[in-house]
């Protein structure tokens, strides 16, 4: 059988078999509604609270600071709209960056339509927001700063601790979208100093459609989902018990694999990248290599269209991406690479390779040979 290698883990990742094992009973015998008083309900409630501890432990947070959501998108929306609504009428300036995920960008654009003022900071050619720019943008009426932890396209880590120091001094709330860092690198909410944080289960071998929001104990926001009294009145809707159990187990397993991600996976990524740069002249890495999550590489190949390369690699069983999954299928160039002001050719030739702890050395050897061979072939056809 033809070899298949999946290098699109920033879009979604395969579920760990141990996660699947943990959630199965909650589809079958343990199907109770966690709000019910009888034993079925109580079993579901206990499972949710166990999962809440697992998520809280991964972030060094308290259990009551974790709210379950239906994914990263809802967590981002709930954080941004929740803060904005709690401040309505007393000022409204929000600071974010131009390289955020659409879940943040579109939430901010919606706030603009409602009369809030939003500053979209640039991230420079290396895909990193400058702390000085945040400092300069802060004003009397700033209510919220929302800057992602790790960028989903180029993997760059943002200076979250430094930004948090500024917002803390001025009593301004700080949210970070940590969907691409939680589960991959250690994330400690106290060390980062953030007030709100979003995460998503399917990015680190958990189930799709489940995520969580961390809200620091002292922070009050207006609930985004209204209805029943679930999640202590902070997020209405019958809990997705199997999903939440799976998220908890994924967090537990992620905590055990940080070391592997930071050494083995980072080495595999670096070796792969070096191989490409050496063997394919005219290749360039996008984003700052020294400040990235260990599992992401984004490269442009001169003279090669990213979309054409993606399709050719797919024929060889290698799954990669040209940008964020939600914008793939559209011909719109990546808003992240555009915000980094890379040239047109570099943007059009960009490919994201995203690894996970399930990747082996043989997988990366195959990926390297396949990309070298495919890029060379496309280039020779163009020249010929
Ligand atoms: N934020 C970032 C940085 C992401 O990469 C994604 C998913 O691609 C999301 C938010 C949305 O998460 P979800 O797919 O769980 O809604």
């Amino acid at each position: 059988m033809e070899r298949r290698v999946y290098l699109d883990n920033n879009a979604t990742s395969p579920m760990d078999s141990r996660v699947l094992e943990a959630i199965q009973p909650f589809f079958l015998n343990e199907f109770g509604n966690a709000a019910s008083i009888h034993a079925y309900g109580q079993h579901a409630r206990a499972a949710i609270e166990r999962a809440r501890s697992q998520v809280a432990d991964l972030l060094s947070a308290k259990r009551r600071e974790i709210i379950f959501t239906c994914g990263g998108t809802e967590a981002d929306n709930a954080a941004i709209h929740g803060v904005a609504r709690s401040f309505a009428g007393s000022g409204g300036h929000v600071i974010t960056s131009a390289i955020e995920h659409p879940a943040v960008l579109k939430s901010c654009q919606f706030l603009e339509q409602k009369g809030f003022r939003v500053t979209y900071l640039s991230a420079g050619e290396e895909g990193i927001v400058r702390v000085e720019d945040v400092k300069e943008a802060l004003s009397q009426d700033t209510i919220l700063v929302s800057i992602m932890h790790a960028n989903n396209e180029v993997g760059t880590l943002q200076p979250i601790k430094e930004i948090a120091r500024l917002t803390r001094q001025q009593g301004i709330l700080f949210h970070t979208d940590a969907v691409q860092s939680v589960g991959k690198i250690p994330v400690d909410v106290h060390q980062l100093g953030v007030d709100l944080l979003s995460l998503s289960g399917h990015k680190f071998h958990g189930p799709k459609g489940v995520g969580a929001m961390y809200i620091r104990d002292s922070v009050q926001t207006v609930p985004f989902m209204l209805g029943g009294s679930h999640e202590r009145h902070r997020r209405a809707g019958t809990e997705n018990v199997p999903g939440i159990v799976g998220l908890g187990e994924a967090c537990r397993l992620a905590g055990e694999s940080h070391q592997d991600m930071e050494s083995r996976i980072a080495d595999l990524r670096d070796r792969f990248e070096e191989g490409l740069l050496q063997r394919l002249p005219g290749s360039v890495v996008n984003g700052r290599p020294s400040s990235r999550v260990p599992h992401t590489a984004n490269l442009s190949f001169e003279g090669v269209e990213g979309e054409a390369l993606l399709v050719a690699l797919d024929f060889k069983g290698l799954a990669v991406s040209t940008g964020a999954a939600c914008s793939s299928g559209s011909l719109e160039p990546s808003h992240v690479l555009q915000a980094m002001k890379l040239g047109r050719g570099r943007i059009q030739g960009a490919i994201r390779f995203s690894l996970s702890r399930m990747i082996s050395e043989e997988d990366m050897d195959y990926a390297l040979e396949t990309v070298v061979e495919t890029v060379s072939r496309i280039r020779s056809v163009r020249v010929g």
Side-chain angles (χ1 to χ4, degrees):
M1 211 179 90
E2 188 202 68
R3 190 171 188 121
R4 291 177 72 199
V5 176
Y6 183 80
L7 290 185
D8 198 13
N9 289 278
N10 285 14
T12 196
S13 60
M15 201 190 286
D16 191 302
S17 58
R18 292 164 289 182
V19 171
L20 182 60
E21 209 176 296
I23 71 180
Q24 263 172 346
F26 296 91
F27 283 116
L28 300 168
N29 303 330
E30 306 279 349
F31 58 83
N33 183 327
S36 301
I37 290 168
H38 48 63
Y40 289 89
Q42 293 316 302
H43 288 168
R45 166 63 45 214
I48 288 177
E49 295 316 316
R50 209 166 35 245
R52 203 186 304 281
S53 296
Q54 290 169 316
V55 178
D57 287 350
L58 189 68
L59 304 177
S60 304
K62 297 181 194 123
R63 258 180 354 112
R64 61 175 181 270
E65 293 175 318
I66 304 300
I67 297 177
F68 292 111
T69 66
C70 75
T73 298
E74 187 194 321
D76 284 342
N77 273 263
I80 293 168
H81 295 294
V83 170
R85 283 186 209 166
S86 68
F87 276 90
S90 64
H93 175 230
V94 175
I95 299 173
T96 188
S97 83
I99 61 164
E100 300 294 317
H101 187 271
V104 168
L105 287 176
K106 293 205 175 153
S107 293
C108 289
Q109 285 158 11
F110 179 83
L111 291 185
E112 279 185 288
Q113 288 164 17
K114 296 288 162 200
F116 288 80
R117 194 162 61 83
V118 180
T119 302
Y120 299 90
L121 299 174
S122 91
E125 206 178 308
E126 291 192 311
I128 297 187
V129 171
R130 283 158 36 102
V131 181
E132 305 85 83
D133 290 349
V134 178
K135 192 172 183 180
E136 227 166 78
L138 289 172
S139 82
Q140 285 291 320
D141 62 345
T142 306
I143 57 164
L144 175 69
V145 175
S146 179
I147 304 285
M148 71 199 323
H149 190 196
N151 180 263
N152 44 313
E153 293 193 36
V154 291
T156 44
L157 282 162
Q158 307 302 318
I160 300 301
K161 278 186 212 170
E162 293 79 358
I163 297 171
R165 233 172 268 138
L166 289 178
T167 54
R168 211 28 91 72
Q169 277 162 9
Q170 308 203 18
I172 294 165
L173 292 177
F174 183 21
H175 163 250
T176 192
D177 173 341
V179 165
Q180 295 290 350
S181 57
V182 169
K184 278 70 173 264
I185 57 171
V187 173
D188 177 321
V189 287
H190 300 291
Q191 276 179 14
L192 287 181
V194 295
D195 301 297
L196 303 109
L197 176 146
S198 313
L199 63 94
S200 172
H202 72 109
K203 305 293 186 181
F204 57 103
H205 311 296
K208 292 177 181 59
V210 63
M213 177 169 57
Y214 156 81
I215 308 187
R216 186 180 296 285
D217 235 355
S218 52
V219 173
Q220 293 284 330
T221 61
V222 175
F224 179 65
M225 301 281 264
L226 303 173
S229 58
H230 313 85
E231 295 293 278
R232 294 165 58 232
H233 298 275
R234 295 183 300 174
R235 196 277 188 185
T238 301
E239 292 92 341
N240 167 9
V241 185
I244 289 171
V245 167
L247 176 64
E249 180 67 359
C251 285
R252 187 185 71 76
L253 296 169
E256 292 174 356
S257 67
H258 283 150
Q259 188 60 38
D260 182 48
M261 288 297 285
E262 285 181 314
S263 52
R264 188 179 65 89
I265 295 300
D267 282 352
L268 287 179
R269 189 269 316 266
D270 292 347
R271 226 163 38 99
F272 170 71
E273 208 170 63
E274 279 158 26
L276 292 176
L277 293 172
Q278 266 172 24
R279 294 172 61 186
L280 292 170
S283 310
V284 58
V285 174
N286 301 314
R288 187 188 296 171
S290 59
S291 179
R292 279 185 303 175
V293 276
H295 62 286
T296 304
N298 189 308
L299 287 98
S300 298
F301 304 97
E302 199 179 75
V304 176
E305 281 278 338
E307 298 275 341
L309 180 55
L310 181 152
V311 172
L313 293 176
D314 191 36
F315 269 115
K316 303 249 173 175
L318 182 60
V320 299
S321 156
T322 51
C326 26
S327 58
S328 66
S330 83
L331 292 175
E332 281 293 302
S334 147
H335 74 278
V336 172
L337 302 182
Q338 277 186 309
M340 288 164 63
K341 297 205 169 46
L342 304 185
R344 197 157 162 266
R346 197 159 151 189
I347 293 176
Q348 283 179 342
I351 290 280
R352 177 183 74 184
F353 305 92
S354 47
L355 291 67
S356 80
R357 65 172 187 254
M358 295 192 184
I359 288 294
S360 68
E361 191 171 344
E362 293 72 36
D363 289 333
M364 293 313 288
D365 288 346
Y366 178 76
L368 176 61
E369 291 309 318
T370 307
V371 177
V372 169
E373 189 188 297
T374 311
V375 168
S376 307
R377 186 166 44 80
I378 294 175
R379 282 179 175 167
S380 70
V381 171
R382 280 175 56 96
V383 172

